[in-house]
C-alpha cells in the first residue's frame, strides 16, 4: 500500500493477492492519510478514528463518517507498469457520496420515522436511500439545528453549528429526507403507530427508529439550580459555557472524557479550572490508573487543578448565582461557572408505558438486527443495550460516535428486511492539549494493563501502547503517538482472532500484527 501522484492529485495504490486497486488517499472523516492506516482483508482502516473503506469499491464499511472515497480504474501495461485512470474532479474531492434514491410517493406510500438527530439517525436515513427505499423518510430531532458533529462540543466549545453539520441542508432536500427540528418525542402509540411530539403534532410511521441518545446526568444537590451551573448536551450549551467561562473561575464535576475535554478547552481561557473527580486519577475507569496518572500530569502542567477521590457536596450562591462549591474534604472552591460532567443516562423517558423493553436506567433492549421487542420498532446509538460480538454476544451499552453510525446502518438494512446482524468493533478517541489517544475494543472489567512505552518521559515525547486484559485475553488496546496500532488492533479484533498476554508481554509486543496478513 503506497500513496502515488496521479496528475493533479494523489491516490492510494494497493496490491493484495497479486491484484492492484486504487482508491482515494484521505479518510473522509477529517482527512487522515490512509497510507498510514491498517490494511486487512480487502479494506483499509483510518489510523486516526478507525473508519474503514473497501479497497475494491471505496465504499465506507465501518465508521465514523458518512462518505465513501473515490475508486479509480487500474491496469498493468505489457511492460508491467501500473497505470491509474482518474478524473480531475475525483482527485480534487477526496469524499464521495454514495448514490441515493429519492421519495416516490406513487411507488411507496410507507413512512420510516427516525427520532433523534445524531449519527445513527443520519446514517440510517442515508442507508435507506442508498438501498433504494422510496417511501417517506423523516428525521425528528429535539435540537434546533440540523444534525451536527456532537463530539466536537467538548473539544471546540465556541464552534458554530454551520461548521460542524453532518450534512448541509441541501443534501437532505435533494434526497427527500425530511428533517423536523425542535421536535421532542413525548409518547409513542405502538398500536396506532404514531409518535406525539412536544408541539402536540403526531407523525405516523410504518417503521420507527429510536435514536434519541443520552442526556447528562444531573445532581440534585442543594443549589443545583443556581445560575451558571451547566450541563453539556447541545451546541447552545457548549457556546454558553465557552462565553460564560472567559476569565472566570470554573469548576468541572467529573474526571472522565467529557469533563476532562472541557477542562482542556477552558485551560488558558478561564481564570482558573478545577476538576473534581471520584477516582484516584482522571480517566481511571477506562484507561487505568497508570495512564490516568500520566494524563493528570499533563493537565497539571497546563494549570488545571485536580481534586481526586472527592465530589461536590454543596453548591453555594448569592442572589441566585453560583459562587462556589464545597467538596468532600470540606474545602470550598471558588466558582463562577460549574459544568456537570458526571455521566449520562438514556434519553428514553418518553417510552414509559409503550411496552418497549428497557433495562437499567432506561436502555432500550435490541437484538443483533437492532430490533426491539416490537417488530416494527428499532433502536440505535447511546440509548440501546445491544449484543456485542467481542463479548460473546452479551448485551452492552456503548456511547461511541462510531458505534452509533454502525447501529444506524444495521437498523436501516433490517428495516428493509435484509437480515443483517451488527458486527463492528468499538473505537473511540479523545484529544486534549493536542494529544490524541485512541482506543479500540471493550475493556469493561479489565483486571490488568500491560504498557509498552516510557510513562516517565516528558509529555511532549510521550509514546505508549496499553493492552487491557481480562484473565489471559487482551480485550482492548489504547495508544498515544503510536499510530496505526489501534487501527490494526481493531482489524485484528474484527477478524474474531484471539490476542492473549503471551502475544504482547515481550519486548516485541507487535508480533500479533503478522497474523493480520
Amino acid at each position: 500500500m503506497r500513496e502515488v501522484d496521479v496528475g493533479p492529485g494523489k491516490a492510494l495504490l494497493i496490491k493484495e493477492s497479486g491484484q492492484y486497486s486504487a482508491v482515494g488517499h484521505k479518510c473522509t472523516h477529517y482527512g487522515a492519510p490512509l497510507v498510514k492506516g491498517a490494511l486487512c482483508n480487502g479494506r483499509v482502516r483510518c489510523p486516526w478514528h478507525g473508519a474503514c473503506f473497501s479497497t475494491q469499491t471505496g465504499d465506507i464499511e465501518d465508521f465514523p463518517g458518512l462518505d465513501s472515497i473515490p475508486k479509480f480504474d487500474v491496469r498493468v501495461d505489457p511492460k508491467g507498469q501500473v497505470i491509474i485512470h482518474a478524473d480531475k474532479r475525483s482527485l480534487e474531492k477526496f469524499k464521495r457520496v454514495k448514490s441515493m434514491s429519492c421519495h416516490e410517493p406513487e411507488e411507496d406510500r410507507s413512512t420510516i420515522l427516525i427520532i433523534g438527530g445524531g449519527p445513527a439517525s443520519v446514517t440510517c436515513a442515508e442507508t435507506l436511500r442508498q438501498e433504494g427505499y422510496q417511501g417517506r423518510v423523516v428525521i425528528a430531532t429535539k435540537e434546533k439545528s440540523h444534525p451536527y458533529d456532537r463530539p466536537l462540543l467538548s473539544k471546540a466549545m465556541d464552534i458554530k453549528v454551520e461548521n460542524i453539520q453532518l450534512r448541509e441542508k441541501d443534501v437532505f432536500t435533494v434526497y427527500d429526507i425530511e428533517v423536523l427540528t425542535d421536535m421532542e418525542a413525548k409518547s409513542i402509540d405502538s398500536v396506532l403507530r404514531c409518535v406525539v411530539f412536544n408541539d402536540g403534532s403526531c407523525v405516523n410511521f410504518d417503521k420507527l427508529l429510536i435514536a434519541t441518545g443520552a442526556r447528562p446526568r444531573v445532581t440534585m444537590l442543594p443549589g443545583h439550580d443556581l445560575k451558571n451551573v451547566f450541563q453539556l448536551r447541545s451546541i447552545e450549551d457548549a457556546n454558553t459555557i465557552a462565553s460564560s467561562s472567559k476569565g472566570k473561575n470554573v469548576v468541572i464535576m467529573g474526571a472522565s472524557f467529557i469533563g476532562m475535554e472541557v477542562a482542556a478547552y477552558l485551560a488558558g481561557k478561564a481564570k482558573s479550572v478545577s476538576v473534581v473527580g471520584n477516582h484516584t486519577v482522571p480517566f481511571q475507569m477506562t484507561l487505568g490508573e497508570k495512564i490516568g496518572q500520566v494524563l493528570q500530569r499533563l493537565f497539571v502542567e497546563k494549570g488545571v487543578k485536580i481534586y481526586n477521590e472527592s465530589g461536590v457536596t454543596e453548591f453555594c450562591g448569592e442572589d441566585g448565582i453560583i459562587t462556589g462549591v464545597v467538596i468532600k474534604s470540606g474545602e470550598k472552591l471558588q466558582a463562577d461557572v460549574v459544568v456537570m460532567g458526571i455521566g449520562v443516562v438514556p434519553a428514553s423517558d418518553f417510552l414509559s408505558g409503550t411496552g418497549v423493553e428497557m433495562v437499567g436506567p432506561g436502555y432500550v433492549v435490541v437484538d443483533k438486527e437492532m430490533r426491539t421487542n416490537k417488530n416494527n420498532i428499532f433502536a440505535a446509538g447511546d440509548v440501546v443495550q445491544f449484543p456485542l460480538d467481542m463479548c460473546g454476544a452479551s448485551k452492552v451499552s456503548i456511547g461511541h460516535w462510531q458505534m452509533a453510525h454502525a447501529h444506524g446502518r444495521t437498523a436501516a438494512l433490517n428495516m428493509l428486511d435484509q437480515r443483517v446482524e451488527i458486527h463492528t468493533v468499538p473505537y473511540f478517541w479523545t484529544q486534549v492539549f493536542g494529544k490524541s489517544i485512541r482506543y479500540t475494543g471493550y475493556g469493561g472489567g479489565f483486571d490488568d494493563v500491560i504498557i509498552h512505552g516510557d510513562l516517565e518521559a516528558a509529555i511532549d515525547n510521550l509514546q505508549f501502547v496499553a493492552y487491557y486484559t481480562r484473565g489471559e485475553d487482551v480485550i482492548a488496546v489504547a495508544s498515544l503517538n503510536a499510530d496505526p496500532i489501534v487501527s490494526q488492533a481493531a482489524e485484528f479484533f474484527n477478524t474474531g482472532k484471539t490476542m492473549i498476554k503471551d502475544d504482547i508481554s515481550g519486548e516485541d509486543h507487535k508480533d500479533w500484527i503478522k497474523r493480520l496478513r
Side-chain angles (χ1 to χ4, degrees), residues 28-67:
T28 57
H29 188 255
Y30 296 113
L34 290 176
V35 70
K36 296 182 179 180
L39 178 65
C40 179
N41 296 329
R43 66 182 195 173
V44 59
R45 184 182 285 267
C46 170
W48 289 2
H49 305 134
C52 296
F53 305 90
S54 167
T55 59
Q56 297 303 308
T57 66
D59 288 350
I60 189 166
E61 293 189 344
D62 209 338
F63 306 92
L66 293 169
D67 294 315

Side-chain angles (χ1 to χ4, degrees), residues 8-10 26 72 87-95:
K10 293 181 181 295
K26 290 183 180 180
F72 308 120
D87 63 89
K88 182 178 180 181
R89 186 177 179 183
S90 294
L91 288 168
E92 291 174 344
K93 294 183 67 175
F94 65 92
K95 297 181 179 182

Side-chain angles (χ1 to χ4, degrees), residues 184-195:
E184 182 176 3
K186 289 299 183 181
S187 63
I188 295 176
D189 190 320
S190 59
V191 177
L192 296 178
R193 296 190 300 187
C194 70
V195 176

Side-chain angles (χ1 to χ4, degrees), residues 31 110 122 198 213 239 244 316 375 397 401 488 503:
S110 65
V122 179
N198 55 313
N239 291 171
S244 300
C316 305
N375 192 53
S397 303
W401 191 248
Q488 291 167 326
D503 293 325

Side-chain angles (χ1 to χ4, degrees), residues 476-516:
V477 180
S479 78
L480 173 65
N481 288 330
D483 295 336
I485 195 165
V486 168
S487 288
Q488 291 167 326
E491 280 302 288
F492 189 94
F493 292 143
N494 185 68
T495 65
K497 296 174 182 175
T498 301
M499 190 188 308
I500 61 175
K501 277 188 173 181
D502 283 349
D503 293 325
I504 52 91
S505 295
E507 184 175 336
D508 187 2
H509 60 96
K510 300 179 182 179
D511 272 353
W512 54 268
I513 295 175
K514 298 174 183 177
R515 286 195 274 153
L516 270 178

Side-chain angles (χ1 to χ4, degrees), residues 3-144:
E3 198 175 83
V4 296
D5 292 323
V6 182
K10 293 181 181 295
L12 188 68
L13 180 63
I14 299 161
K15 185 177 182 181
E16 294 177 287
S17 302
Q19 300 296 314
Y20 287 100
S21 61
V23 294
H25 71 296
K26 290 183 180 180
C27 178
T28 57
H29 188 255
Y30 296 113
L34 290 176
V35 70
K36 296 182 179 180
L39 178 65
C40 179
N41 296 329
R43 66 182 195 173
V44 59
R45 184 182 285 267
C46 170
W48 289 2
H49 305 134
C52 296
F53 305 90
S54 167
T55 59
Q56 297 303 308
T57 66
D59 288 350
I60 189 166
E61 293 189 344
D62 209 338
F63 306 92
L66 293 169
D67 294 315
S68 298
I69 55 178
K71 169 70 172 68
F72 308 120
D73 292 331
V74 179
R75 68 179 178 87
V76 181
D77 71 11
K79 296 182 179 179
Q81 186 175 6
V82 179
I83 300 172
I84 299 173
H85 296 269
D87 63 89
K88 182 178 180 181
R89 186 177 179 183
S90 294
L91 288 168
E92 291 174 344
K93 294 183 67 175
F94 65 92
K95 297 181 179 182
R96 174 175 62 85
V97 179
K98 291 179 69 173
S99 60
M100 291 188 253
S101 63
C102 295
H103 180 206
E104 295 289 347
E106 294 183 2
E107 299 295 327
D108 190 341
R109 298 180 183 275
S110 65
T111 296
I112 293 179
L113 173 61
I114 302 166
I115 310 173
S121 300
V122 179
T123 305
C124 178
E126 292 198 0
T127 301
L128 291 169
R129 290 292 188 230
Q130 291 164 3
E131 295 296 313
Y133 176 70
Q134 294 184 315
R136 186 184 179 205
V137 177
V138 181
I139 296 175
T141 172
K142 65 182 290 185
E143 300 281 349
K144 294 178 173 59

Side-chain angles (χ1 to χ4, degrees), residues 259-329:
M260 299 307 289
E261 287 174 359
V262 170
Y265 173 81
L266 293 178
K269 302 177 181 69
K271 181 179 180 181
S272 69
V273 178
S274 301
V275 177
V276 181
N278 293 328
H279 300 289
T280 306
V281 293
F283 304 106
Q284 183 173 345
M285 295 303 291
T286 302
L287 299 179
E289 189 169 347
K290 291 181 179 179
I291 301 300
Q293 287 172 347
V294 172
L295 294 177
Q296 176 170 302
R297 178 158 55 98
L298 169 62
F299 277 80
V300 171
E301 285 184 8
K302 298 296 183 178
V304 177
K305 298 177 182 177
I306 298 178
Y307 298 83
N308 293 315
E309 297 182 283
S310 188
V312 172
T313 60
E314 183 183 351
F315 296 101
C316 305
E318 293 180 6
D319 300 323
I321 303 174
I322 191 76
T323 58
V325 299
V326 178
I327 61 176
K328 283 184 178 179
S329 66

